[in-house]
Structure formats: C-alpha cells, structure tokens
C-alpha cells in the first residue's frame, strides 16, 4: 500500500511550486481529490483492489502509461500534439521482437535500439511538422498510419514471442523491492523531464513556444529546433514504453500500443495540461496517469466490461477537459 | 443646447467594484444630441469599465442609465444596441472572411429575410450601398471581401456599420461609443477618422475614448476626465489645454520637457548602425543611412509607406533582397537570432501578439531572449536567481507597478506596465541598436514619461535608436533626424535637433504622396536626402 502513496506526497509539494502559477488553485488540487475518491471507492467495492499483488500490477501499468505520456505532455506544452505514440510503441515492439528472435540477447543493445527507434521516429515527426509547416495533428496522423503499417509489416501481422529473461526483467523485475521496474523507469523519466522542463532553458522554451510562438521567434530563438526536440523526447519515451510493454508480454503483436494514444491523452488532459499549450507539465501528468490506471484497474476488478470501460474513459476525458478549460478562462478574466 | 431637451444618454452615479477594487465610484456622464464627449484617463482609471457599462457588456453595482430621459438597464451588448447605444470596439469587430455587406449587417440579418426564410442578398447589397454612401465610402464595393481593406477603410466601415445598425433598428439619434479608435491608425488615417467623426455630429451623440490628448481637444465638445475611478473633470473642451488634461489625468504637473529634448545629443564616433542600400521588392526601395552612437532616427510615413518593413528588416525579422546592414562595422547575417546576437533589440508594435506572452509572468517574459546566454550556464540550466534579481532591478528602475512582483502575469498589468516589461527584456541585454515600433501605443501619460526616459538613458549609453511611431509629436520630440518614406521611397531626411524641431504639419505634408499633396512641403529646416 505504501508503494502507491509514495509518489503522491511529494506531488502536493510540487503543485505548490508550479512553474507558472503563484499558488495551487482549485484545478490544481482537483485531480488529487479525484484520485483519492477513486482509490477509496474501489477499495471498498473490491477487496482485491488494495492487495499487494494488484498494487504491484498497477505500479507496472502506471509506469508504462507514465512513460508514454511524459514526452507527449511536452509536445502538448508547445501547443502541438503527437498522435503517433501508440504506433511508435508497435513499431518498437516489432523491431525488438525481431531482434530478440533473431539472436540478439544483450539487454543493453535492446535499450540502445529502443532509444534509436524512438529518437528517429520523433525526429521524423518533428521535422515533417516544423519544415513541412503543416499542423502537428496532420503530420503525426500520417506518421501514425505509416509507423503502424511499418510495424505490422515487420511482424507480418502476427504475434512474435521471444524468450529473454534479461529483457523480461527490465519490465517486471524489482530492483527496488515491491516496485516493478516499469514504475521505476517511469518515475526516473518523470524526475529527469521535470527538472528539464523547469530548470533548463530548453524546457523554458517549450513553454514559451506554447504560450506565444511569435514572441519566441522575435526573441531570437530558433523555434523549429525546439519543436523537433519536443517530438524527439516524445518518440523516445513512447519507444521506452514500447520496450517495457513488449518485455512484459515477452512478445509483440498487431494490437500492441493500440490503447496508448487514448490513455495517454486522457492522463494528460485529466492531469490538467491544456491542449492549447503553454501550461501544465509532466508533474501534472503523473496525477492523470494514476487516475487513469486506478480507473482502468478498478473497473477490471469490478468486472466491468471492456466496452463499457472505453465509454467511461471517454466521458472522464471530456469532463476533465471542461474543468481545465474553465479554470483557464477564469484565470484569464481576473 | 436648450435645457428642455433630454440628453441622448445619461449615466448617473455609476459604481462598479471588482473584489475589493472600486473601479468606478459614482461616475456620471451625459451626452446631448449632436455632442461629442471625450472620455480620458490613465490606464486603469475606469474608462473601459464605464464603456462596458454603457454598452451593456457589464452591469453596474449601483447607479442608473437613462436614454432620452427614460431609464434603461441593458444586460447584454445586444440589448444596448437595440436601444441605440452602439459601440465601435478598439480592435475592429469586422470579420475577415465575410464581405463588406455581410459585415455591415452582421447579427441583424433577419431584417433581410425573404421568401422561405432565406436571406435576400439583393436587398442587403442595396441597403449596404446606401449605408456606404452615407458613410463617405462611395468608392467601396459592397461585395468586396474585408480582408483586403486598408486600416482606414476598415475604420470607416466600422463607423458606417454603427450608423447602419441604428438605421435598421429605426433609431433616429443613436449614441456611438468609440474605444480608442485611433490607437492603431497612422496620422493620415487619424485625420480621416476625425473627419468621419465630424460627419456623425449631425445625427448622433458620441463618446470618444482616446489616449491622444491633442485629438480629443480638437474634436470633442466636452471632456470628461477619470482618475482612479472618479470623475475629476467634466468641462467644455474649449477652455482646456493639453497641459490641463495631463495634470488632471496624472494628478501632477507635466514636468519640464516631455520628450526630454534637453538630453538629446548623439555622441560622435564611428557609425553604430549602417544601413547600405537595403530594399525589399514591393515594400520599400533602396535606402541608406548611418547612425552614430546615441543617435535617434525616426521613420515617418503613412500606412504602406514601408516604414514598418524597414524597421523589421533592421531587426532581422525580414531579409532584404539586396544591400547590407552593419552593426559596429560588422555585417549582419539574416534572421532574428543573428540580429539578437549582434546586439539588435526589437520592441514590436503589437505587444500582446508579438512582444509578450500574456499568460506568462513578468519573469518568464523578461528572461526569454537572454536564456541562452545571460541567464543559463553552459549545461543549459537556468540561472533563476540571477534572472529574478535582474528583473527586480528593472521593475524598480522603470517603475513597473506589478501586484505580485516578477511573478505577476502580464495580462494583469496595464498597457503601460506591459510595455515597460517589453522594453526591459531587451534593455537587460545592453543592446547596441534598439528598434522601437509605436513604443507608447495605448500607454498612459505617466508610463510614457518613464519610457521616454528609458530611451534617453539608452541613447546616453551609446545605443543607436530607430523609432517608428504613428504618434507624430512623439516621433518629432524623440528623434535627432527623421527619415520620411512615401510609398516605399525615402524622400527626405529632416533634421530634428533640439530647439529646431520641424512642425507636425510640415512632417505630415512630407508623408503624403505627391499626387494627393495640395501644397508642396516648403517648410524651412527640411533638407533633401
């Protein structure tokens, strides 16, 4: 149980030091209240919900969702969107499973390959968007289709299983007792990207671009460079998520990553990062990820049908967006 | 006017409070038939709130409104419009992708429904023709798209629309509210606007908000001055002077020389900024000049004269087709990053669109152009404390009034304070060349003084300054020399030494294209380039 509450306590302190706000507002604490309410609800409804086994499973699920949502959050902070994260997961899984079946068995090599795949895919996205001067929605929609097709071609449209204890351990091992490595990866990436976005000039540029691109350009800053950087980061975190999912299953398959786009967007919006860009951030996305994970897992525990779950997720996204937008309008009028 | 006629519009003891902040305190104002009432005050004095209340956008906490003697309480803008109180908004409310006639009757299309409830386009076009002719826009085709209208035409259309709306609604004597209509206009268009205003006098009452004291004095019958939410004066314009208004608005005398001409002295030395034959096809023809350290050059011209493009080229935002720009003898590469690296700073005219990220804090805006050098270390980590200390220094130096210090969001600041932040973000870079576009547009008198002082301080440190301003007294007052552009050609370079400044009228005469000019500019003190 303590494993689950660990990330929440420091978060309350973080929200008090949001990069661009002076103090926590209603919308800052709302996701926290929702999370607590959900945990209490599911704990009373399903005995197994707070069982140590389920907590471990949830930490793994949350870690992977966190990874894929982190880079995507930074893209959204710049006022763009990356629709291709799910397809990058599929592409990564496809390539890695081919490599592993083909005789590669070095965990380090697998990680390096993952980073290379993610960075390349992200760079392609960013370059098409920045140099082609088309909306990121269109650029990454095209990329989504392309990467999906490429991934499916690589695995021939079927599942490819591999047997690699080292890779499996990357995902479900416990370098820290009672914390799945997937969760560890997620938290480490969160810490790095949090510092990156708050305390480096590159991170500040991402927020500034989301706030007003023209002002940034007239301040003598190359916008393209930093837009591409955001997409590269998004590609890398998506690929890392792809590595962990594939490792967890010890297999890749055609449906890999198919829920990642919706779930990560849900987590980002619920956390309170507005799609219009310029505010929010990775620290908020952590809360969104925990809410989505608890919601999905809890509904599973209660035996709610898959299809109904999808409907509930959709409704939650819309409600969260309404709250986020309302709070921004409120701030703007003050 | 005889006392028996009820005022077209009367506001009595209007009070409005936001939180603990009393924005308007028992303010009264009346508009007689055919009267033009000027409403002035510094930013934050309550002008906008009063206009919002008169036009139904905001409801007052206390006080009454009367229209032709009868009480009204409009709760929406549309309700106010129906009773004949029509507002011309600060940023033209025309819709770019619609045509002239569609804009004229936007929101009131139901007056033109024909059979089957469809719009009767012919009737709309006919009515639009009449409205345009009445508004002096005889040349403007009713079915032209709005997007290719010049600023002056847009403004005339905004006014024609207000009158047309009143006509549609069958209102004989509307009250038209103008919210800083001339802020974005250059001198020639400003003249045009004042003529249009004069035409309205026959049939409407007008409330006219402006920062330009000269034009308010010239065009208004009566002037109402607000200060800190209170009405401090309501008097006929004929008995007032520029200095009176300034004193009433700011609450103290205008001290000495407004533009600090006494401090105007370029320092001899090798040219700081050299512009050698740069040109952009379709914008301006080859132009050359050189500025000594501390020299201030004004660029004057009408809209479309190329003065803005020229300033933007020096700032690196546009690449010249030919020619070169040198800063301290070193040739400038194209692009804003290269210009910034060479010490060129650019304060764009549209501060909310191009100058500042309005939803961010003062600090975030202040540090932005300097994050790559002054305010970060080699690894790219931000030097937060250093940036904060520097920002705080400029808040004190430029007298920026900000409720939460460097953490104040830009959109909580007045226009004048925003402009000071924009200036500060460049001053901290200790620039060699400062390019200013309308540096005091929409800025109140007190803040103007601080901005002029900062410009003089920069010049005293040897910064070469290029100013584009539609406020001619300001341009003349600040500049050492004034370059006139007419339709892209640089026609004259006027000397504007302290004590020997050209008259405003002489500069205007130079700015007007030769075909239109009635009398050739023969003012003494003007030399050909």
């Amino acid at each position: 149980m303590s494993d689950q509450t660990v990330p929440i306590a420091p978060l309350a302190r973080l929200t008090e030091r949001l990069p661009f706000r002076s103090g926590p507002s209603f919308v800052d604490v709302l996701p926290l209240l929702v999370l607590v309410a959900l945990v209490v609800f599911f704990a009373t409804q399903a005995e197994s919900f707070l069982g140590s086994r389920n907590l471990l499973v949830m930490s793994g699920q949350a870690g992977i969702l966190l990874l894929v949502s982190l880079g995507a959050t930074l893209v959204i902070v710049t006022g763009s969107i990356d629709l291709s994260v799910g397809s990058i997961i599929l592409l990564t899984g496809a390539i890695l499973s081919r490599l592993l079946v083909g005789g590669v068995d070095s965990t380090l090599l697998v990680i390096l390959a993952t980073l290379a795949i993610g960075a390349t895919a992200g760079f392609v996205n960013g370059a098409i968007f920045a140099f082609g001067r088309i909306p990121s929605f269109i650029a990454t929609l095209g990329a989504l289709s392309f990467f999906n097709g490429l991934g499916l071609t690589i695995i021939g449209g079927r599942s490819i299983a591999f047997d690699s204890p080292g890779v499996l351990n990357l995902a479900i091992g416990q370098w820290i007792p009672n914390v799945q490595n997937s969760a560890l990866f997620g938290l480490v990436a969160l810490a790095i990207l949090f510092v990156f976005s708050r305390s480096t000039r590159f991170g500040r540029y991402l927020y500034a671009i989301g706030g007003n691109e023209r002002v940034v350009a007239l301040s003598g800053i190359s916008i393209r460079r930093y837009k591409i950087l955001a997409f590269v980061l998004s590609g890398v975190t998506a690929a890392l998520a792809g590595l962990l999912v594939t490792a967890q299953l010890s297999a890749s398959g055609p449906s890999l990553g198919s829920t990642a786009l919706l779930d990560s967007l849900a987590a980002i919006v619920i956390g309170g990062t507005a799609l219009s860009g310029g505010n929010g951030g990775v620290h908020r996305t952590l809360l969104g990820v925990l809410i989505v994970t608890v919601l999905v897992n809890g509904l599973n525990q209660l035996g709610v049908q898959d299809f109904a779950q999808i409907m509930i997720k959709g409704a939650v996204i819309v409600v969260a967006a309404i709250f986020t937008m309302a709070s921004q309008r409120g701030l703007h009028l003050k | 006017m005889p006392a028996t006629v009820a005022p077209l519009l009367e506001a009595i003891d209007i009070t409005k409070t936001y939180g603990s902040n009393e924005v308007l305190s028992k303010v009264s104002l009346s508009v007689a038939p055919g009267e033009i009432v000027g409403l002035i005050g510094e930013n934050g004095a309550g002008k906008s709130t009063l206009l919002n209340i008169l036009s139904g956008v905001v409801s007052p906490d206390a006080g009454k409104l009367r229209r032709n003697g009868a009480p009204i309480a409009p709760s929406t803008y549309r309700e106010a419009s129906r009773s004949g109180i029509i507002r011309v908004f600060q940023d033209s409310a025309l819709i770019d992708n619609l045509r002239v006639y569609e804009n004229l009757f936007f929101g009131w299309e139901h007056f033109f429904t024909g059979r089957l409830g469809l719009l009767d386009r012919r009737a709309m076009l006919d009515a639009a023709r009449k409205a345009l002719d009445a508004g002096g826009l005889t040349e403007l085709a009713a079915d032209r798209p709005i997007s290719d209208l010049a600023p002056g035409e847009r403004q005339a259309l905004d006014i024609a629309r207000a009158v047309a709306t009143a006509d549609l609604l069958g209102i004989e004597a509307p009250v038209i509210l103008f919210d800083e209509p001339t802020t974005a206009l250059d001198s020639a268009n400003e003249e045009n606007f004042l003529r249009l205003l004069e035409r309205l006098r026959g049939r409407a009452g007008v409330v006219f908000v402006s920062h330009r004291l000269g034009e308010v004095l010239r065009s208004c019958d009566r002037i109402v001055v607000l200060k800190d939410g209170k009405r401090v004066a309501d008097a006929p314009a004929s008995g007032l002077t520029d200095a009176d208004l300034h004193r009433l608005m700011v609450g103290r005398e205008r001290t000495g020389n407004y533009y600090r001409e006494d401090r105007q002295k370029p320092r001899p030395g090798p040219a700081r900024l050299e512009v050698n034959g740069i040109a952009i096809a379709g914008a301006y023809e080859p132009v050359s000049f050189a500025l000594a350290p501390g020299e201030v050059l004004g660029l004057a011209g009408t809209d479309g004269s190329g003065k803005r493009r020229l300033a933007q080229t020096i700032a690196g935002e546009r690449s010249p087709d030919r020619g070169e720009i040198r800063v301290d003898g070193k040739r400038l590469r194209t692009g804003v990053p290269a210009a910034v690296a060479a010490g060129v700073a650019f304060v764009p005219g549209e501060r909310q669109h191009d100058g500042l990220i309005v939803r961010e804090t003062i600090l975030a805006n202040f540090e932005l152009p300097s994050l790559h050098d002054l305010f970060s270390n080699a690894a790219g980590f931000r030097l937060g404390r250093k940036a904060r200390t520097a920002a705080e220094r400029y808040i004190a130096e430029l007298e920026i009034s900000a409720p939460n210090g460097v953490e104040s969001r830009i959109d909580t600041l007045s226009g004048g304070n925003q402009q000071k932040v924009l200036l500060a973000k460049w001053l901290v870079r200790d620039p060699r060349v400062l390019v200013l576009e309308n540096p005091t547009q929409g800025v109140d008198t007190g803040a103007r003084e601080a901005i002029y002082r900062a410009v003089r301080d920069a010049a005293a440190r040897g910064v070469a300054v290029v100013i584009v301003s539609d406020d001619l007294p300001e341009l003349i007052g600040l500049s050492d020399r004034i370059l006139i552009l007419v339709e892209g050609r640089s026609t004259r370079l006027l000397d504007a030494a302290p004590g020997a400044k050209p008259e405003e009228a002489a500069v205007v005469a130079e700015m007007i294209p030769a075909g239109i000019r009635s009398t050739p500019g023969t003012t003494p003190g003007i030399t050909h380039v």
Side-chain angles (χ1 to χ4, degrees):
Chain A
M1 166 150 194
S2 60
D3 305 329
Q4 270 304 294
T5 49
V6 161
I8 301 172
L11 201 89
R13 259 176 281 137
L14 294 184
T15 46
E16 283 163 22
R17 298 187 285 131
L18 288 181
F20 292 108
R21 299 266 177 81
S22 38
S25 68
F26 177 62
V27 99
D28 293 331
V29 290
L30 183 68
L32 199 62
L33 297 178
V34 170
L35 180 62
V36 172
L38 282 175
V39 170
V40 170
F41 174 76
F42 288 124
T44 55
Q45 297 297 308
E47 211 176 307
S48 54
F49 181 72
L50 287 182
S52 60
R53 201 183 125 68
N54 191 45
L55 285 180
L56 197 64
V57 169
M58 269 202 285
S59 76
Q61 290 167 339
I64 291 171
L65 180 57
L66 181 60
L67 268 173
V68 64
S69 306
L70 284 176
T73 303
L74 292 178
V75 170
I76 285 174
V77 159
T78 68
S80 303
I81 194 163
D82 187 353
L83 298 181
S84 70
V85 288
S87 65
I88 292 176
I89 289 177
L90 172 62
L91 181 62
T92 308
I95 295 175
L96 294 185
S97 59
R98 277 284 179 211
L99 288 177
L100 287 162
V101 169
V104 175
D105 199 27
S106 150
T107 316
L108 180 65
L109 208 62
V110 165
I111 292 176
L112 289 178
T114 303
L115 295 176
I117 295 164
T120 308
F123 182 80
V124 168
N125 274 334
I128 292 173
F129 164 57
F131 288 100
R133 293 168 189 255
I134 54 173
S136 57
F137 184 90
I138 304 293
T140 57
L141 187 66
L144 179 160
S145 187
F146 183 84
F147 295 150
N148 260 339
L150 185 58
L152 290 171
T153 307
I154 290 170
I155 56 173
R158 55 201 167 77
S159 295
I160 294 182
F162 54 83
D163 180 25
S164 167
V167 170
L168 179 65
N169 189 48
L170 275 182
I172 64 165
Q174 298 179 13
W175 292 333
I176 294 173
N178 294 321
V179 181
Q180 271 205 356
N181 286 346
S182 293
L184 189 64
F185 273 114
L187 288 176
V188 169
L190 170 70
I192 292 172
L193 290 178
F194 181 71
V195 172
F196 169 84
S197 58
R198 257 178 72 92
S199 305
T200 72
R201 65 187 179 97
F202 315 107
R204 308 319 299 158
Y205 290 156
L206 300 187
Y207 278 91
I209 288 171
N212 185 333
E213 208 174 303
R214 205 168 144 63
V215 171
V216 180
L218 284 176
S219 296
I221 294 152
S222 161
I223 295 184
R224 275 185 191 153
R225 189 181 301 168
Y226 298 101
K227 282 183 170 174
I228 293 174
L229 174 66
F231 278 96
V232 168
L233 288 172
S234 180
V236 167
T237 56
L240 283 171
L243 164 63
L244 295 179
V245 172
T246 311
Q248 213 176 41
L249 299 168
S250 284
S252 70
S255 68
L256 205 63
S258 58
T259 60
L261 175 60
L262 184 66
D263 285 356
S264 65
L265 268 181
I268 293 165
V269 172
I270 291 169
T273 298
L275 293 180
S276 51
N279 64 19
V282 290
H283 52 296
R284 291 175 155 262
T285 295
L286 172 62
L287 264 185
V289 164
L290 293 177
I291 289 174
V292 170
T293 307
V294 165
L295 188 68
V296 170
N297 183 286
L299 291 173
N300 275 334
Q301 299 285 322
L302 296 185
V304 176
Q305 256 203 346
D306 259 10
F307 305 133
Q309 283 190 28
I310 297 173
M311 286 162 58
I312 291 170
K313 248 189 266 174
V316 170
I317 294 178
V318 172
V319 171
I322 289 171
F323 272 105
T324 317
M325 300 304 287
S327 90
Q328 279 178 354
R329 273 192 293 271
L331 282 168
H332 203 72
L333 284 176
K334 249 186 241 167
Chain B
M1 50 134 234
T4 49
V5 181
L8 288 183
L9 177 65
E10 230 181 331
I12 303 153
D13 290 343
I14 298 290
T15 297
K16 180 75 193 175
T17 306
Y18 289 112
S20 60
N21 185 11
E22 198 173 47
V23 184
L24 287 176
S25 173
K26 296 202 164 214
V27 170
S28 299
L29 175 136
S30 79
V31 187
E35 193 181 29
I36 300 179
V37 178
L39 179 61
I40 62 170
E42 290 199 292
N43 281 323
K47 304 182 303 275
S48 301
T49 309
L50 184 55
L51 272 202
N52 282 338
I53 288 171
L54 295 179
S55 58
V57 178
V58 168
S59 297
D61 296 337
K64 281 179 277 201
L65 294 180
R66 289 212 185 105
R67 171 92 170 108
N68 295 324
I72 54 166
S75 58
T76 62
Y77 174 61
R78 198 170 174 82
E79 233 178 89
S81 300
R82 277 189 205 283
S83 65
I85 302 167
I86 298 161
R87 180 163 171 186
V88 176
F89 285 88
Q90 184 170 11
D91 299 310
S92 166
L94 300 175
I95 299 169
D96 272 336
N97 56 351
L98 297 184
R99 288 168 193 278
V100 168
Y101 76 97
E102 292 171 314
N103 267 292
L104 270 175
F105 303 120
F106 190 79
W108 308 101
E109 291 86 354
H110 54 281
F111 282 99
F112 297 98
T113 41
R115 280 177 304 155
L116 302 171
L118 297 176
L119 283 185
D120 184 348
R121 188 164 165 275
R122 185 165 299 275
M124 281 179 92
L125 281 168
D126 287 346
R129 184 70 268 146
K130 283 192 197 111
L132 291 173
D133 289 344
L137 286 164
T138 45
E139 304 281 298
L140 183 62
D143 58 354
R144 228 169 101 187
I146 295 284
S147 45
D148 51 283
L149 296 192
E153 287 178 303
R154 294 178 74 103
Q155 178 124 47
L157 188 58
D158 266 323
I159 297 171
R161 180 180 169 187
V163 176
T165 307
D167 283 340
L168 269 188
L169 297 166
I171 288 158
E172 239 163 68
V175 176
I176 300 181
L177 313 175
F178 286 100
D179 190 0
E180 294 190 41
T182 55
T183 305
L185 294 182
D186 63 27
S187 316
N189 282 318
E190 183 184 334
E191 290 300 321
N192 189 42
F193 168 75
L194 296 179
R195 272 199 298 279
L196 290 167
L197 198 61
E198 209 47 50
R199 289 175 77 124
L200 281 178
R201 195 190 286 277
R203 63 162 301 183
V206 171
V207 178
F208 176 27
V209 173
S210 177
H211 272 122
R212 296 186 180 175
L213 303 184
E215 73 183 17
V216 172
L217 279 169
R218 263 171 61 203
S219 54
C220 295
D221 302 309
R222 206 151 47 77
I223 296 177
V224 173
V225 184
L226 295 184
K227 175 168 167 48
D228 300 330
K230 297 188 180 64
R231 191 181 72 179
V232 293
D234 182 357
S238 52
L240 294 168
T241 65
D242 211 23
D244 291 335
L245 295 183
H246 184 274
R247 181 177 43 76
L248 288 166
M249 282 167 57
V250 182
R252 60 187 151 86
E253 295 288 341
R254 182 182 291 187
T255 46
N257 179 334
Y258 198 38
Y259 301 109
R260 300 307 307 270
E261 287 161 29
D262 54 315
R263 296 184 58 194
Q264 180 182 336
K265 44 173 169 263
R267 305 184 318 180
R272 180 125 276 179
L273 172 70
E274 289 168 89
V275 168
N276 298 326
I278 60 169
I280 292 181
Y284 59 88
E285 294 170 23
V287 56
S288 300
F289 54 83
L291 297 189
E295 193 173 3
V296 181
L297 177 76
L299 300 181
T302 58
D303 263 3
S305 62
K307 59 177 177 178
R308 284 211 172 76
R309 296 287 174 85
L310 177 54
Q312 289 162 355
T313 313
I314 297 167
E317 200 202 346
R318 289 167 191 278
S319 314
D321 299 336
R322 47 170 293 187
E324 54 160 31
I325 299 168
R326 288 178 182 271
V327 175
D328 285 337
K330 266 190 75 182
R331 187 175 174 159
L332 210 58
R333 283 174 297 120
T334 56
V336 181
V340 170
V344 179
F346 178 41
V347 173
E350 301 278 328
R351 65 174 163 266
Q352 305 224 5
H353 292 115
D354 303 341
L356 296 167
I357 305 173
V358 294
R359 279 165 42 188
E360 293 276 14
T361 60
I362 290 179
L363 181 57
N365 276 283
F366 173 80
E367 69 183 11
L368 188 60
S370 309
L371 271 176
H372 67 286
D373 47 14
L374 301 182
F375 300 140
S376 68
N377 63 17
F381 280 89
R382 177 175 167 266
L383 303 173
R385 197 166 308 151
K386 194 178 168 199
R388 175 181 291 268
T389 310
E392 278 163 355
R393 184 160 58 82
Y394 276 94
I395 283 185
E397 210 166 281
L398 297 178
E399 296 166 358
I400 298 172
S401 112
N404 298 318
V406 298
E407 299 293 343
S408 310
R409 269 169 57 134
I410 296 296
D411 53 9
T412 64
L413 305 180
S414 72
N417 286 311
Q418 291 180 357
Q419 190 68 20
K420 289 176 185 174
V421 174
L422 176 50
L423 204 55
K425 87 174 198 180
W426 290 112
L427 289 179
V428 70
R429 300 196 53 73
D430 204 3
R432 299 170 189 209
V433 175
L434 183 58
V435 182
L436 303 168
E437 222 180 66
N438 286 328
T440 60
Q441 178 167 305
V443 167
D444 60 68
T445 318
R448 276 173 179 239
E449 281 177 327
I451 290 169
Y452 296 147
R453 180 159 42 83
V455 171
R456 289 288 183 225
D457 286 344
R461 286 194 305 270
V463 178
V465 183
V466 177
I467 296 186
V468 178
S469 177
D470 296 326
D471 184 335
L472 274 183
E474 165 182 294
L475 191 76
I476 296 166
L478 288 177
S479 302
D480 292 299
R481 288 184 292 163
I482 298 169
L483 181 68
I484 309 264
L485 286 107
V486 179
E487 293 176 335
R489 275 171 300 112
S490 45
T491 53
R492 294 281 177 99
L493 189 60
L494 310 183
D495 223 7
K501 297 276 180 185
E503 291 293 323
E504 190 178 343
V507 177
V508 171
E510 291 293 334
M511 285 160 48
I512 297 168
I516 299 168
R517 203 181 301 168
S518 50
T519 50
T522 51
T523 318
I526 292 175
T527 50
H528 283 269
V529 174

